[in-house]
Coordinates of all heavy atoms in Angstrom, one line a residue:
M1 N -92.1 9.7 52.1 CA -92.1 9.6 53.5 C -91.5 10.9 54.1 O -90.5 11.3 53.7 CB -91.4 8.3 53.9 CG -91.4 8.1 55.4 SD -90.7 6.4 55.7 CE -91.6 6.0 57.2
A2 N -92.1 11.4 55.2 CA -91.6 12.6 55.8 C -90.3 12.3 56.6 O -90.1 11.2 57.1 CB -92.7 13.1 56.8
T3 N -89.4 13.3 56.5 CA -88.1 13.1 57.2 C -88.2 13.6 58.6 O -87.4 13.1 59.5 CB -87.0 13.8 56.4 OG1 -87.4 15.2 56.3 CG2 -86.8 13.2 55.1
K4 N -89.0 14.6 58.9 CA -89.1 15.1 60.3 C -90.5 14.9 60.8 O -91.5 15.1 60.0 CB -88.7 16.6 60.3 CG -87.3 16.8 60.0 CD -87.0 18.3 60.1 CE -85.6 18.6 59.8 NZ -85.3 20.1 59.9
P5 N -90.7 14.7 62.1 CA -92.1 14.6 62.6 C -92.7 15.9 62.7 O -92.1 17.0 62.7 CB -91.9 14.0 64.0 CG -90.4 14.2 64.3 CD -89.7 14.3 63.1
M6 N -94.1 15.9 62.6 CA -94.8 17.2 62.7 C -94.6 17.8 64.1 O -94.8 17.1 65.1 CB -96.3 16.8 62.4 CG -97.2 18.1 62.4 SD -98.9 17.6 62.1 CE -99.0 17.8 60.4
T7 N -94.4 19.1 64.1 CA -94.2 19.8 65.4 C -95.6 20.2 65.9 O -96.6 20.1 65.2 CB -93.4 21.1 65.2 OG1 -94.1 22.0 64.4 CG2 -92.0 20.8 64.6
K8 N -95.6 20.6 67.2 CA -96.8 21.0 67.8 C -97.4 22.2 67.1 O -98.6 22.3 66.8 CB -96.6 21.4 69.3 CG -97.9 21.8 70.0 CD -97.8 22.1 71.4 CE -99.1 22.6 72.0 NZ -99.0 22.9 73.4
A9 N -96.6 23.1 66.7 CA -97.1 24.3 65.9 C -97.7 23.9 64.6 O -98.8 24.4 64.2 CB -95.9 25.3 65.7
Q10 N -97.1 23.0 63.9 CA -97.7 22.5 62.6 C -99.0 21.8 62.9 O -99.9 21.9 62.1 CB -96.7 21.6 61.9 CG -95.4 22.3 61.4 CD -94.4 21.3 61.0 OE1 -94.3 20.2 61.4 NE2 -93.6 21.8 60.0
L11 N -99.0 21.0 64.0 CA -100.2 20.2 64.3 C -101.4 21.2 64.7 O -102.5 21.0 64.2 CB -100.0 19.3 65.5 CG -101.1 18.4 65.9 CD1 -101.6 17.5 64.7 CD2 -100.7 17.5 67.1
V12 N -101.0 22.2 65.4 CA -102.1 23.2 65.8 C -102.6 24.0 64.6 O -103.8 24.2 64.4 CB -101.5 24.2 66.8 CG1 -102.4 25.5 67.0 CG2 -101.3 23.6 68.2
T13 N -101.7 24.3 63.7 CA -102.1 25.0 62.4 C -103.0 24.1 61.6 O -104.1 24.5 61.1 CB -100.9 25.4 61.6 OG1 -100.0 26.2 62.4 CG2 -101.3 26.1 60.3
A14 N -102.7 22.8 61.4 CA -103.5 21.9 60.7 C -104.8 21.6 61.4 O -105.9 21.6 60.7 CB -102.7 20.5 60.5
L15 N -104.8 21.5 62.7 CA -106.1 21.4 63.4 C -107.0 22.6 63.3 O -108.2 22.4 63.1 CB -105.7 21.1 64.9 CG -106.9 20.7 65.9 CD1 -107.6 19.4 65.4 CD2 -106.3 20.5 67.3
A16 N -106.4 23.8 63.4 CA -107.2 25.0 63.2 C -107.8 25.1 61.8 O -109.0 25.4 61.7 CB -106.3 26.2 63.5
E17 N -107.1 24.7 60.8 CA -107.7 24.7 59.5 C -108.8 23.7 59.3 O -109.8 24.0 58.7 CB -106.6 24.4 58.4 CG -105.6 25.5 58.3 CD -104.4 25.2 57.4 OE1 -104.5 24.1 56.7 OE2 -103.5 26.0 57.3
K18 N -108.6 22.5 59.9 CA -109.6 21.4 59.8 C -110.8 21.7 60.6 O -111.9 21.4 60.1 CB -108.9 20.1 60.3 CG -109.6 18.9 59.9 CD -109.3 18.6 58.5 CE -109.5 17.2 58.1 NZ -109.4 16.9 56.7
M19 N -110.7 22.4 61.7 CA -111.8 22.8 62.6 C -112.5 24.1 62.1 O -113.6 24.4 62.5 CB -111.4 23.0 64.0 CG -111.0 21.7 64.7 SD -110.3 21.9 66.4 CE -111.4 23.0 67.2
G20 N -111.8 24.9 61.3 CA -112.3 26.1 60.8 C -112.3 27.2 61.9 O -113.3 28.0 62.1
T21 N -111.3 27.1 62.8 CA -111.2 28.0 63.9 C -109.8 28.7 64.0 O -109.0 28.4 63.1 CB -111.5 27.3 65.2 OG1 -111.6 28.2 66.3 CG2 -110.5 26.2 65.5
D22 N -109.6 29.5 65.0 CA -108.2 30.1 65.1 C -107.3 29.2 65.8 O -107.6 28.1 66.4 CB -108.4 31.4 65.8 CG -108.9 31.3 67.3 OD1 -109.5 30.2 67.6 OD2 -108.7 32.2 68.0
K23 N -106.0 29.5 65.7 CA -104.9 28.7 66.3 C -105.0 28.6 67.8 O -104.7 27.6 68.4 CB -103.5 29.2 65.9 CG -103.2 29.0 64.4 CD -101.8 29.5 64.1 CE -101.5 29.4 62.6 NZ -100.2 29.9 62.3
K24 N -105.5 29.7 68.5 CA -105.6 29.7 69.9 C -106.6 28.6 70.4 O -106.3 27.9 71.4 CB -106.0 31.1 70.4 CG -106.0 31.3 71.9 CD -106.2 32.7 72.3 CE -106.1 32.9 73.8 NZ -106.4 34.2 74.2
S25 N -107.7 28.6 69.8 CA -108.7 27.5 70.1 C -108.2 26.1 69.8 O -108.4 25.2 70.6 CB -110.0 27.8 69.3 OG -110.6 29.0 69.7
A26 N -107.5 26.0 68.7 CA -107.0 24.7 68.3 C -105.9 24.2 69.3 O -105.9 23.1 69.7 CB -106.4 24.7 66.9
S27 N -105.1 25.2 69.8 CA -104.0 24.9 70.7 C -104.7 24.5 72.1 O -104.2 23.5 72.7 CB -103.1 26.1 70.9 OG -102.1 25.8 71.9
A28 N -105.7 25.2 72.5 CA -106.4 24.9 73.7 C -107.0 23.5 73.7 O -107.0 22.7 74.6 CB -107.4 25.9 74.0
A29 N -107.6 23.1 72.5 CA -108.2 21.8 72.4 C -107.2 20.7 72.4 O -107.4 19.7 73.1 CB -109.0 21.8 71.0
L30 N -106.0 20.9 71.8 CA -105.0 20.0 71.8 C -104.4 19.8 73.2 O -104.2 18.6 73.6 CB -103.8 20.4 70.8 CG -102.7 19.4 70.6 CD1 -103.2 18.1 70.1 CD2 -101.7 20.0 69.7
D31 N -104.2 20.9 73.9 CA -103.7 20.8 75.3 C -104.7 20.1 76.2 O -104.3 19.3 77.1 CB -103.4 22.2 75.8 CG -102.2 22.8 75.2 OD1 -101.4 22.1 74.6 OD2 -102.1 24.1 75.3
A32 N -106.0 20.3 76.0 CA -107.0 19.7 76.8 C -107.1 18.2 76.6 O -107.1 17.4 77.5 CB -108.4 20.3 76.5
I33 N -106.9 17.8 75.3 CA -106.9 16.3 75.0 C -105.7 15.7 75.6 O -105.8 14.6 76.2 CB -106.9 16.1 73.5 CG1 -108.3 16.5 72.9 CG2 -106.6 14.7 73.1 CD1 -108.3 16.6 71.4
S34 N -104.5 16.3 75.5 CA -103.3 15.8 76.1 C -103.4 15.7 77.6 O -103.0 14.6 78.2 CB -102.2 16.8 75.8 OG -101.0 16.3 76.4
E35 N -104.1 16.6 78.3 CA -104.2 16.6 79.8 C -105.2 15.4 80.1 O -104.9 14.7 81.1 CB -104.8 17.9 80.3 CG -103.8 19.0 80.3 CD -104.4 20.3 80.6 OE1 -105.5 20.4 81.2 OE2 -103.7 21.4 80.4
I36 N -106.2 15.2 79.4 CA -107.2 14.2 79.7 C -106.5 12.8 79.5 O -106.7 11.9 80.4 CB -108.4 14.3 78.7 CG1 -109.2 15.5 79.1 CG2 -109.3 13.0 78.8 CD1 -110.3 15.9 78.1
I37 N -105.8 12.6 78.4 CA -105.1 11.3 78.2 C -104.1 11.1 79.3 O -104.0 10.0 79.9 CB -104.4 11.3 76.8 CG1 -105.5 11.3 75.7 CG2 -103.5 10.1 76.7 CD1 -104.9 11.5 74.3
T38 N -103.3 12.1 79.7 CA -102.3 11.9 80.7 C -103.0 11.6 82.1 O -102.5 10.7 82.8 CB -101.5 13.2 80.9 OG1 -100.9 13.6 79.7 CG2 -100.5 13.1 82.0
A39 N -104.0 12.2 82.4 CA -104.7 11.9 83.7 C -105.3 10.5 83.7 O -105.1 9.8 84.7 CB -105.8 13.0 83.9
E40 N -105.9 10.1 82.6 CA -106.5 8.8 82.6 C -105.5 7.7 82.6 O -105.6 6.7 83.3 CB -107.4 8.7 81.3 CG -108.2 7.4 81.2 CD -109.2 7.2 82.3 OE1 -109.7 8.2 82.9 OE2 -109.5 6.0 82.6
V41 N -104.4 7.8 81.8 CA -103.4 6.8 81.8 C -102.6 6.7 83.1 O -102.3 5.7 83.6 CB -102.5 7.0 80.6 CG1 -101.3 6.0 80.6 CG2 -103.3 6.8 79.3
S42 N -102.4 7.9 83.7 CA -101.7 7.9 85.0 C -102.5 7.2 86.1 O -101.9 6.7 87.0 CB -101.4 9.4 85.4 OG -100.5 10.0 84.5
A43 N -103.8 7.3 86.0 CA -104.7 6.6 87.0 C -104.8 5.1 86.7 O -105.5 4.5 87.5 CB -106.0 7.3 87.0
G44 N -104.2 4.6 85.7 CA -104.2 3.2 85.4 C -105.2 2.8 84.4 O -105.4 1.6 84.1
G45 N -105.9 3.8 83.8 CA -106.9 3.5 82.8 C -106.3 3.5 81.4 O -105.1 3.5 81.2
A46 N -107.2 3.4 80.4 CA -106.8 3.4 79.0 C -107.6 4.4 78.2 O -108.8 4.6 78.6 CB -106.9 2.0 78.4
V47 N -107.1 4.9 77.1 CA -107.8 5.9 76.3 C -107.8 5.3 74.9 O -106.7 5.0 74.3 CB -107.2 7.3 76.3 CG1 -107.9 8.2 75.4 CG2 -107.2 7.8 77.7
T48 N -108.9 5.2 74.2 CA -109.0 4.8 72.8 C -109.3 6.0 72.0 O -110.3 6.7 72.2 CB -110.1 3.7 72.6 OG1 -109.8 2.6 73.4 CG2 -110.2 3.3 71.2
I49 N -108.4 6.3 71.0 CA -108.7 7.3 70.1 C -109.1 6.7 68.8 O -108.3 5.9 68.2 CB -107.4 8.2 69.8 CG1 -106.9 8.7 71.2 CG2 -107.6 9.3 68.8 CD1 -105.5 9.3 71.1
P50 N -110.4 6.9 68.4 CA -110.9 6.2 67.2 C -110.1 6.4 66.0 O -109.6 7.5 65.7 CB -112.3 6.8 67.0 CG -112.7 7.3 68.4 CD -111.4 7.8 69.0
N51 N -109.8 5.3 65.3 CA -109.0 5.2 64.0 C -107.6 5.5 64.2 O -106.8 5.7 63.2 CB -109.6 6.1 62.9 CG -111.0 5.7 62.6 OD1 -111.4 4.5 62.5 ND2 -111.9 6.7 62.4
V52 N -107.1 5.7 65.5 CA -105.7 6.0 65.7 C -105.1 4.9 66.6 O -104.1 4.2 66.2 CB -105.5 7.4 66.4 CG1 -104.0 7.5 66.8 CG2 -105.9 8.5 65.5
G53 N -105.7 4.6 67.7 CA -105.1 3.6 68.6 C -105.6 3.7 70.0 O -106.4 4.5 70.4
K54 N -105.0 2.8 70.9 CA -105.3 2.8 72.3 C -104.0 3.0 73.1 O -103.0 2.4 72.8 CB -105.9 1.4 72.6 CG -106.3 1.2 74.0 CD -106.9 -0.2 74.2 CE -107.4 -0.4 75.6 NZ -108.0 -1.7 75.7
I55 N -104.1 3.9 74.1 CA -103.0 4.3 74.9 C -103.3 3.7 76.3 O -104.4 4.0 76.9 CB -102.8 5.8 75.0 CG1 -102.6 6.3 73.6 CG2 -101.6 6.1 75.9 CD1 -102.6 7.9 73.5
L56 N -102.4 3.0 76.9 CA -102.6 2.4 78.2 C -101.3 2.3 79.0 O -100.2 2.4 78.4 CB -103.2 1.0 78.1 CG -102.5 0.0 77.3 CD1 -102.1 -1.1 78.3 CD2 -103.4 -0.6 76.2
C57 N -101.4 2.1 80.3 CA -100.3 1.9 81.2 C -100.2 0.5 81.6 O -101.2 -0.1 82.0 CB -100.4 2.8 82.4 SG -99.0 2.8 83.5
R58 N -99.0 -0.1 81.4 CA -98.8 -1.5 81.8 C -97.8 -1.7 82.8 O -96.7 -1.0 82.8 CB -98.4 -2.3 80.5 CG -98.3 -3.8 80.7 CD -98.0 -4.5 79.4 NE -96.6 -4.3 79.0 CZ -95.6 -5.0 79.4 NH1 -95.7 -5.9 80.3 NH2 -94.4 -4.7 79.0
A59 N -98.0 -2.5 83.8 CA -97.0 -2.7 84.9 C -96.0 -3.8 84.4 O -96.4 -4.8 83.8 CB -97.7 -3.2 86.1
R60 N -94.7 -3.5 84.7 CA -93.7 -4.5 84.4 C -93.2 -5.0 85.7 O -92.9 -4.3 86.6 CB -92.5 -3.8 83.6 CG -92.8 -3.6 82.2 CD -91.6 -3.3 81.4 NE -90.9 -2.1 81.8 CZ -90.0 -1.5 81.1 NH1 -89.6 -1.9 79.9 NH2 -89.4 -0.4 81.6
P61 N -93.0 -6.4 85.8 CA -92.5 -7.0 87.0 C -91.0 -6.7 87.3 O -90.3 -6.3 86.4 CB -92.8 -8.5 86.8 CG -92.7 -8.6 85.3 CD -93.3 -7.3 84.7
E62 N -90.6 -7.0 88.5 CA -89.2 -6.9 88.8 C -88.5 -7.9 88.0 O -89.0 -9.0 87.7 CB -89.0 -7.2 90.3 CG -87.6 -7.1 90.8 CD -87.5 -7.4 92.3 OE1 -87.4 -8.6 92.6 OE2 -87.6 -6.4 93.1
R63 N -87.3 -7.6 87.5 CA -86.6 -8.5 86.6 C -85.0 -8.3 86.7 O -84.6 -7.3 87.2 CB -87.0 -8.4 85.2 CG -86.8 -7.0 84.6 CD -87.6 -6.8 83.3 NE -87.3 -5.6 82.6 CZ -87.7 -4.4 83.0 NH1 -88.4 -4.2 84.0 NH2 -87.3 -3.3 82.3
M64 N -84.3 -9.3 86.2 CA -82.9 -9.2 86.1 C -82.5 -8.6 84.8 O -83.0 -9.0 83.7 CB -82.2 -10.5 86.3 CG -82.4 -11.2 87.7 SD -81.8 -10.2 89.0 CE -80.0 -10.4 88.8
V65 N -81.6 -7.6 84.8 CA -81.1 -7.0 83.6 C -79.5 -7.0 83.6 O -78.9 -7.2 84.7 CB -81.6 -5.5 83.4 CG1 -83.1 -5.5 83.2 CG2 -81.2 -4.6 84.5
R66 N -78.9 -6.8 82.4 CA -77.5 -6.9 82.4 C -76.9 -5.5 82.0 O -77.4 -4.9 81.1 CB -77.0 -7.9 81.3 CG -75.6 -8.1 81.3 CD -75.2 -9.2 80.2 NE -75.5 -8.7 78.9 CZ -74.6 -8.0 78.1 NH1 -73.5 -7.6 78.7 NH2 -74.9 -7.6 76.9
N67 N -75.9 -5.1 82.7 CA -75.2 -3.8 82.4 C -74.3 -4.1 81.2 O -73.4 -4.9 81.3 CB -74.4 -3.4 83.6 CG -73.6 -2.1 83.3 OD1 -73.4 -1.7 82.2 ND2 -73.2 -1.4 84.4
P68 N -74.6 -3.5 80.0 CA -73.8 -3.8 78.8 C -72.3 -3.4 79.0 O -71.5 -4.0 78.3 CB -74.5 -3.0 77.7 CG -75.3 -2.0 78.4 CD -75.6 -2.5 79.8
A69 N -72.0 -2.5 79.8 CA -70.6 -2.1 79.9 C -69.8 -3.1 80.7 O -68.6 -3.4 80.4 CB -70.5 -0.7 80.5
T70 N -70.4 -3.6 81.8 CA -69.6 -4.5 82.7 C -70.1 -5.9 82.6 O -69.4 -6.8 83.0 CB -69.8 -4.0 84.1 OG1 -71.1 -4.1 84.5 CG2 -69.3 -2.6 84.3
G71 N -71.2 -6.2 82.1 CA -71.8 -7.5 82.0 C -72.4 -8.0 83.3 O -72.8 -9.1 83.4
E72 N -72.4 -7.1 84.3 CA -73.0 -7.4 85.6 C -74.5 -7.6 85.6 O -75.2 -6.8 85.0 CB -72.6 -6.3 86.6 CG -73.1 -6.5 88.0 CD -72.8 -5.3 88.9 OE1 -72.3 -4.3 88.4 OE2 -73.1 -5.4 90.1
Q73 N -75.0 -8.6 86.3 CA -76.5 -8.8 86.4 C -77.0 -7.9 87.5 O -76.4 -7.9 88.6 CB -76.8 -10.2 86.7 CG -76.5 -11.2 85.5 CD -77.6 -11.1 84.5 OE1 -78.7 -10.7 84.7 NE2 -77.2 -11.4 83.2
V74 N -78.0 -7.1 87.3 CA -78.6 -6.2 88.3 C -80.1 -6.5 88.3 O -80.7 -6.7 87.3 CB -78.3 -4.7 87.9 CG1 -78.9 -3.8 88.9 CG2 -76.8 -4.5 87.7
K75 N -80.7 -6.4 89.5 CA -82.1 -6.6 89.7 C -82.8 -5.2 89.5 O -82.4 -4.2 90.2 CB -82.4 -7.1 91.1 CG -83.9 -7.4 91.2 CD -84.2 -8.0 92.6 CE -83.7 -9.5 92.6 NZ -84.2 -10.2 93.7
K76 N -83.7 -5.1 88.5 CA -84.4 -3.9 88.2 C -85.7 -4.0 88.9 O -86.5 -4.9 88.7 CB -84.5 -3.7 86.7 CG -85.2 -2.4 86.4 CD -85.0 -2.0 84.9 CE -85.5 -0.6 84.8 NZ -86.4 -0.3 83.8
P77 N -86.1 -2.9 89.7 CA -87.4 -3.0 90.4 C -88.6 -2.9 89.4 O -88.4 -2.5 88.3 CB -87.4 -1.8 91.3 CG -86.3 -0.9 90.7 CD -85.4 -1.7 90.0
A78 N -89.8 -3.3 89.9 CA -91.0 -3.2 89.1 C -91.3 -1.7 88.7 O -91.0 -0.8 89.5 CB -92.1 -3.8 89.9
D79 N -91.8 -1.5 87.5 CA -92.2 -0.2 87.1 C -93.3 -0.2 86.2 O -93.9 -1.3 85.9 CB -91.0 0.5 86.5 CG -90.5 -0.2 85.2 OD1 -90.9 -1.3 85.0 OD2 -89.7 0.4 84.5
K80 N -93.7 0.9 85.7 CA -94.9 1.0 84.7 C -94.3 1.6 83.4 O -93.4 2.4 83.4 CB -96.0 1.9 85.3 CG -96.6 1.3 86.5 CD -97.7 2.3 87.0 CE -98.3 1.7 88.3 NZ -99.3 2.7 88.8
V81 N -95.0 1.2 82.3 CA -94.6 1.7 81.0 C -95.9 2.0 80.2 O -96.9 1.4 80.4 CB -93.7 0.7 80.3 CG1 -94.4 -0.6 80.0 CG2 -93.1 1.3 79.0
V82 N -95.8 3.1 79.5 CA -96.9 3.5 78.6 C -96.8 2.8 77.3 O -95.8 2.9 76.7 CB -97.0 5.1 78.5 CG1 -98.1 5.5 77.5 CG2 -97.1 5.7 79.8
K83 N -97.9 2.2 76.9 CA -97.9 1.5 75.6 C -99.0 2.1 74.7 O -100.0 2.6 75.2 CB -98.3 0.0 75.8 CG -97.2 -0.8 76.5 CD -96.1 -1.1 75.6 CE -95.1 -2.0 76.3 NZ -94.0 -2.4 75.4
M84 N -98.8 2.0 73.4 CA -99.8 2.4 72.4 C -100.0 1.3 71.4 O -99.0 0.9 70.8 CB -99.4 3.7 71.7 CG -100.5 4.2 70.8 SD -100.3 5.9 70.3 CE -101.8 6.0 69.3
T85 N -101.2 0.9 71.3 CA -101.5 -0.1 70.2 C -102.2 0.7 69.1 O -103.1 1.4 69.3 CB -102.5 -1.1 70.8 OG1 -102.0 -1.7 72.0 CG2 -102.8 -2.2 69.8
I86 N -101.6 0.5 67.9 CA -102.1 1.2 66.7 C -103.4 0.5 66.2 O -103.5 -0.7 66.1 CB -101.1 1.3 65.6 CG1 -99.8 1.9 66.2 CG2 -101.6 2.0 64.4 CD1 -99.9 3.3 66.7
A87 N -104.4 1.3 65.8 CA -105.7 0.8 65.3 C -105.5 0.2 63.9 O -104.7 0.7 63.1 CB -106.7 1.9 65.3
K88 N -106.3 -0.8 63.6 CA -106.3 -1.5 62.3 C -106.6 -0.5 61.2 O -106.0 -0.5 60.1 CB -107.3 -2.6 62.3 CG -107.2 -3.4 61.0 CD -108.1 -4.6 61.1 CE -108.1 -5.5 59.9 NZ -107.8 -5.0 58.6
A89 N -107.5 0.5 61.4 CA -107.8 1.4 60.4 C -106.6 2.3 60.0 O -106.4 2.6 58.8 CB -108.9 2.4 60.9
L90 N -105.8 2.7 61.0 CA -104.6 3.5 60.7 C -103.5 2.6 59.9 O -102.9 3.0 59.0 CB -104.0 4.0 61.9 CG -102.7 4.9 61.8 CD1 -103.0 6.1 60.8 CD2 -102.3 5.4 63.1
K91 N -103.4 1.4 60.4 CA -102.4 0.5 59.7 C -102.8 0.2 58.3 O -102.0 0.3 57.4 CB -102.4 -0.9 60.4 CG -101.7 -0.9 61.7 CD -101.8 -2.3 62.3 CE -101.3 -2.4 63.7 NZ -101.4 -3.7 64.3
D92 N -104.1 0.0 58.0 CA -104.6 -0.2 56.7 C -104.5 1.0 55.8 O -104.1 0.9 54.6 CB -106.1 -0.6 56.7 CG -106.3 -2.0 57.3 OD1 -105.3 -2.8 57.4 OD2 -107.5 -2.3 57.6
S93 N -104.7 2.2 56.3 CA -104.5 3.4 55.5 C -103.1 3.7 55.2 O -102.8 4.2 54.1 CB -105.1 4.6 56.3 OG -104.3 5.0 57.4
V94 N -102.1 3.3 56.0 CA -100.7 3.5 55.8 C -100.2 2.4 54.7 O -99.5 2.8 53.8 CB -99.9 3.3 57.1 CG1 -98.4 3.3 56.8 CG2 -100.2 4.5 58.0
N95 N -100.7 1.2 54.9 CA -100.2 0.1 54.0 C -101.0 0.0 52.7 O -100.6 -0.8 51.8 CB -100.3 -1.2 54.8 CG -99.3 -1.3 55.8 OD1 -98.2 -0.8 55.7 ND2 -99.6 -1.9 57.0
G96 N -102.1 0.6 52.5 CA -102.8 0.4 51.3 C -103.6 1.6 50.9 O -104.0 2.1 50.1

């Protein structure tokens, strides 16, 4: 098991090798994918990456939370959170 996550530079290098292109093109492709996902999820949509998973934005309602330092109950306003559901194909490849 890897001890450190793959960096962007390592990902760009691996992508360039897999695509058979230079690092500049691979970096541009990675940046474009990132921008598309960000724009779609920010607008309330979802993006499915085949064999990897689904990224979506979910609204959380207003709720009561506790300050761990003081124990005081505080009302936290409604907000949004980004969720990622991992695809079954990726889970199966990791587990078997």
Side-chain angles (χ1 to χ4, degrees):
M1 184 172 207
T3 56
K4 292 183 180 179
M6 184 182 263
T7 64
K8 181 180 178 182
Q10 293 169 331
L11 182 58
V12 167
T13 301
L15 186 60
E17 289 174 9
K18 200 71 156 172
M19 291 173 49
T21 186
D22 61 342
K23 289 182 184 179
K24 187 174 183 180
S25 298
S27 180
L30 185 61
D31 290 341
I33 290 170
S34 178
E35 288 173 15
I36 291 168
I37 291 171
T38 301
E40 185 64 27
V41 172
S42 295
V47 177
T48 300
I49 304 171
N51 299 321
V52 175
K54 182 177 182 180
I55 303 169
L56 59 115
C57 184
R58 185 178 71 84
R60 284 198 296 197
E62 182 178 88
R63 62 196 187 281
M64 295 299 290
V65 295
R66 186 179 67 85
N67 180 339
T70 64
E72 176 187 6
Q73 291 282 335
V74 180
K75 187 177 282 192
K76 184 166 191 230
D79 62 348
K80 295 179 182 178
V81 64
V82 177
K83 294 282 186 177
M84 180 163 185
T85 306
I86 304 302
K88 185 177 184 323
L90 181 57
K91 288 180 190 176
D92 291 345
S93 69
V94 169
N95 290 323

